[in-house]
């Protein structure tokens, strides 16, 4: 790693840690705690890369980015911030930051990004910031590590037109992500059109998507035409019938389609965002979802974590939902810290949507201005308990579970046989959780994982690549 790195942060400890690590990596380092000094050095031509905090004693580093990009458009700026919101990530990207890293940061990640920036500094696309964007009206709420990864992926997608597959359990906010990608993306001036595949009868989906053309009558535009020059959000894509999947694939390949009953071709100038709570890979293995369509839609996967993986976000979410309830005409309420502590101990099978419904219910039912722990406890006890434990039969052996699964699988096809290649598909379904959980148990250490599984390390690497398993080092993933 060669080059001069400017480190700008008002925290002396952070400057020291970063400077020492970068120096050991072979970089020359200049550090400062002020925006004014940072700007002076950049004007003088100093630095091959900048690592800067957002909030400095004499200003906001993001406000300086446009001037830096005008003065030195090829200088990569890595932004760090403790204000870990989606708007911070989006704003950093819009201002031309090379990369955005939340605080507290992973030192190895900082060094890796600096190394990339020095090796191949790329001119960043400049966009005029929207001065009306406010962080008190965020499209997504949460500062937990689980959401930070979502924000980083979203920020990188704002200047692209790539297709995105948003996965997550029901109630995690998949449509909110889709709307944010549209509202802050290149097609924000166009329409955002959403269709839920699970809510449309299977025999009407094609006419809903592609429109209808009757003899002698005016053509009825479908969702593709309605979303022209904008974004089409296909929610619950796993429920799309196979016949409609074939037509959708053809549209994605050719960029045009014909209305149902029509012969003329219509151009399809839309960005496709899709979402599902199902395991599409399993549906592909079962022959219920086209593999070629899956790869067309899954260009950039975004996984939304369930609420139980981001419990630290519950206070911010709860307060935001109470504010929204007040704006909708419900009584103004606040919530005590003891009540928030109780909420953070729940499993939340209904995810963020369940928490939102609870907050609105409490806003109506709580007689006091402050929602107490006692009121929350009473309301939680009264909520439905129909959720089935994900553990299933704890005494069931693995072979019995696989046999039950296969029996249901064959039953689904009735008198017909499943698609060919069943042996490889079943092995893949078993291998995926086996390797993923083993990696989680070893904290991503592939040497230990290979030893645990009793296979060669090169074999493990190939399987990780073939199965598209994300490996995170040093973090317990179970």
């Amino acid at each position: 790693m060669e080059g001069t790195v400017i480190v700008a942060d008002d925290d002396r400890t952070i400057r020291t840690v970063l400077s020492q690590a970068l120096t050991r990596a072979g970089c020359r380092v200049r550090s400062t705690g002020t925006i004014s000094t940072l700007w002076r050095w950049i004007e003088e031509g100093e630095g091959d890369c900048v690592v800067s905090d957002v909030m400095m004693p004499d200003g906001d580093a993001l406000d300086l980015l446009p001037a830096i990009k005008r003065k030195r458009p090829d200088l990569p700026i890595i932004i760090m911030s403790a204000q870990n919101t989606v708007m911070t990530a989006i704003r950093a990207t819009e201002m031309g930051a090379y990369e955005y890293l939340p605080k507290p940061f992973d030192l190895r990640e900082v060094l890796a990004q600096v190394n990339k920036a020095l090796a191949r500094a790329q001119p960043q696309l400049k966009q005029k910031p929207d001065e009306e964007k406010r962080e008190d009206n965020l499209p997504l709420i949460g500062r937990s590590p689980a959401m930070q990864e979502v924000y980083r992926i979203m920020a990188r997608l704002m200047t692209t037109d790539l297709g995105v597959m948003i996965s997550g359990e029901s109630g995690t906010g998949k449509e909110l992500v889709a709307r944010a990608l549209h509202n802050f993306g290149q097609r924000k001036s166009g329409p955002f059109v959403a269709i839920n595949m699970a809510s449309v009868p299977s025999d009407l989906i094609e006419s809903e998507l592609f429109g209808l053309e009757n003899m002698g009558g005016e053509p009825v535009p479908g969702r593709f035409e309605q979303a022209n020059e904008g974004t089409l959000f296909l929610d619950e894509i796993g429920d799309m019938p196979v016949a409609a999947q074939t037509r959708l694939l053809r549209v994605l390949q050719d960029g045009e389609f014909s209305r149902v009953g029509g012969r003329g071709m219509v151009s399809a100038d839309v960005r496709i965002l899709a979402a599902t709570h199902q395991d599409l890979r399993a549906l592909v293995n079962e022959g219920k979802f086209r593999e070629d369509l899956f790869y067309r839609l899954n260009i950039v996967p975004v996984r939304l974590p369930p609420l139980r993986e981001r419990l630290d976000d519950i206070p911010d979410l709860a307060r935001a939902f109470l504010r929204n309830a007040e704006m909708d005409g419900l009584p103004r309420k606040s919530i005590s810290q003891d009540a928030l502590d109780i909420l953070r101990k729940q499993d939340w099978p209904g995810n963020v949507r369940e928490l939102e419904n609870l907050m609105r219910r409490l806003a109506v039912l709580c007689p006091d201005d402050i929602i107490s722990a006692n009121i929350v406890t009473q309301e939680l006890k009264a909520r439905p308990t129909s959720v089935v434990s994900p553990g299933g039969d704890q005494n069931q052996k693995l072979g019995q579970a696989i046999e039950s699964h296969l029996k249901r699988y064959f039953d689904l096809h009735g008198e017909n046989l499943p698609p060919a290649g069943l042996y490889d598909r079943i092995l893949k379904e078993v291998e995926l959780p086996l390797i993923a959980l083993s990696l989680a148990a070893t904290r991503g250490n592939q040497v230990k994982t290979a030893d645990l599984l009793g296979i060669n390390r090169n074999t493990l690497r190939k399987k990780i690549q073939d199965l598209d398993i994300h490996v995170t080092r040093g973090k317990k993933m179970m």
Side-chain angles (χ1 to χ4, degrees):
M1 193 186 302
E2 295 183 358
T4 300
V5 180
I6 299 176
V7 176
D9 199 300
D10 66 337
D11 189 318
R12 183 185 296 273
T13 302
I14 290 177
R15 294 204 308 271
T16 301
V17 169
L18 284 176
S19 297
Q20 291 176 348
L22 289 165
T23 300
R24 287 195 298 269
C27 295
R28 296 178 297 278
V29 181
R30 300 198 70 177
S31 68
T32 178
T34 65
I35 289 289
S36 56
T37 302
L38 171 64
W39 175 240
R40 177 167 57 81
W41 287 346
I42 289 173
E43 277 194 312
E44 293 171 354
E46 285 285 342
D48 302 300
C49 175
V50 174
V51 180
S52 176
D53 190 16
V54 172
M55 299 307 297
M56 305 282 276
D58 56 343
D60 185 329
L62 291 182
D63 292 338
L64 185 63
L65 251 62
I68 295 175
K69 302 312 291 184
R70 287 193 297 270
K71 185 76 175 178
R72 296 177 60 184
D74 295 338
L75 178 66
I77 314 292
I78 297 172
I79 290 293
M80 301 185 300
S81 176
Q83 296 179 325
N84 300 330
T85 69
V86 65
M87 289 306 301
T88 308
I90 291 173
R91 187 170 164 233
T93 301
E94 288 185 331
M95 295 293 195
Y98 176 83
E99 182 58 276
Y100 164 79
L101 298 173
K103 287 184 175 182
F105 55 80
D106 184 330
L107 187 57
R108 290 172 298 183
E109 177 70 6
V110 176
L111 294 177
Q113 293 299 334
V114 170
N115 187 39
K116 282 172 57 181
L118 291 174
R120 49 182 182 86
Q122 298 176 348
Q124 302 297 306
L125 295 174
K126 293 183 287 183
Q127 291 189 352
K128 184 179 179 181
D130 185 352
E131 299 296 336
E132 295 182 358
K133 291 174 188 170
R134 297 283 307 278
E135 293 210 2
D136 56 359
N137 188 25
L138 299 176
L140 292 166
I141 297 169
R143 303 167 188 264
S144 62
M147 289 303 293
Q148 290 309 305
E149 185 62 25
V150 175
Y151 297 159
R152 290 182 62 192
I153 296 173
M154 289 178 64
R156 292 169 179 170
L157 289 169
M158 295 305 172
T159 56
T160 76
D161 213 19
L162 295 175
V164 179
M165 177 66 73
I166 307 165
S167 62
E169 297 175 8
S170 295
T172 48
K174 296 186 287 294
E175 184 167 346
L176 288 178
V177 171
R179 287 187 178 275
L181 289 172
H182 170 79
N183 292 339
F184 298 96
Q186 294 178 319
R187 291 178 177 260
K188 58 188 174 184
S189 58
F192 177 88
V193 177
I195 178 172
N196 189 312
M197 297 298 169
S199 64
V200 180
S202 58
D203 56 339
L204 296 179
I205 280 187
E206 290 193 44
S207 58
E208 279 283 332
L209 285 173
F210 308 112
L212 187 62
E213 201 165 300
N214 294 318
M215 291 291 290
E218 287 292 325
V220 179
R223 301 302 176 93
F224 264 94
E225 288 177 82
Q226 296 169 12
N228 188 49
E229 297 185 350
T231 301
L232 178 60
F233 176 50
L234 305 176
D235 199 5
E236 298 305 345
I237 189 72
D239 290 306
M240 176 181 265
V242 175
Q245 292 176 30
T246 302
R247 286 203 66 178
L248 175 59
L249 178 64
R250 193 175 302 124
V251 175
L252 296 179
Q253 291 172 338
D254 302 337
E256 59 182 12
F257 62 92
S258 60
R259 301 186 188 98
V260 175
R263 295 184 178 180
M265 302 305 292
V266 182
S267 176
D269 180 16
V270 298
R271 182 189 191 183
I272 300 293
L273 305 178
T276 182
H277 73 280
Q278 302 183 66
D279 183 350
L280 287 188
R281 292 182 184 278
L283 294 182
V284 169
N285 290 337
E286 295 173 7
K288 296 178 181 178
F289 200 87
R290 292 188 60 124
E291 185 173 18
D292 44 7
L293 178 59
F294 170 76
Y295 287 114
R296 277 276 181 175
L297 295 172
N298 196 48
I299 298 174
V300 181
V302 176
R303 176 188 175 269
L304 271 184
L307 188 54
R308 61 183 174 275
E309 292 182 12
R310 44 180 298 218
L311 296 176
D312 288 344
D313 291 335
I314 284 180
D316 287 340
L317 287 165
R319 295 186 185 105
F321 292 147
L322 289 174
R323 289 195 299 270
N324 293 342
E326 181 186 354
M327 292 173 61
D328 290 340
L330 298 182
R332 182 178 185 178
K333 303 290 181 182
S334 60
I335 185 168
S336 70
Q337 185 58 50
D338 288 344
L340 290 172
D341 291 341
I342 291 175
L343 293 177
R344 291 174 62 176
K345 295 176 182 178
Q346 306 303 307
D347 290 334
W348 300 107
N351 290 299
V352 178
R353 187 182 296 125
E354 182 185 2
L355 176 62
E356 180 178 17
N357 292 341
L358 175 64
M359 290 298 101
R360 296 181 74 87
R361 195 158 63 247
L362 289 170
V364 174
L365 300 178
C366 181
D368 304 317
D369 292 337
I370 300 177
I371 300 172
S372 66
N374 185 47
I375 291 291
V376 168
T377 301
Q378 291 177 13
E379 195 59 35
L380 287 173
K381 288 180 178 178
R383 68 178 175 172
T385 56
S386 59
V387 179
V388 178
S389 171
D393 184 356
Q394 300 296 323
N395 296 319
Q396 188 179 39
K397 294 181 179 179
L398 177 61
Q400 293 173 325
I402 294 174
E403 182 179 355
S404 298
H405 173 81
L406 287 172
K407 187 176 184 307
R408 287 195 303 271
Y409 179 50
F410 276 101
D411 289 343
L412 283 172
H413 290 82
E415 296 181 359
N416 299 319
L417 291 175
L422 179 60
Y423 181 81
D424 287 337
R425 293 201 302 273
I426 294 300
L427 285 185
K428 192 182 217 181
E429 283 208 47
V430 174
E431 276 189 323
L432 179 59
L434 174 62
I435 294 175
L437 290 172
S438 297
L439 283 164
T442 62
R443 300 180 185 271
N445 187 313
Q446 295 184 32
V447 175
K448 290 183 179 179
T449 302
D451 184 59
L452 173 65
L453 295 171
I455 60 176
N456 183 275
R457 187 180 179 187
N458 291 332
T459 301
L460 174 63
R461 284 178 175 171
K462 186 174 187 306
K463 290 186 179 295
I464 290 173
Q465 182 177 0
D466 292 344
L467 296 169
D468 193 23
I469 297 174
H470 178 68
V471 180
T472 304
R473 288 298 307 270
K475 187 181 291 184
K476 192 76 172 177
M477 294 176 282
M478 288 193 297

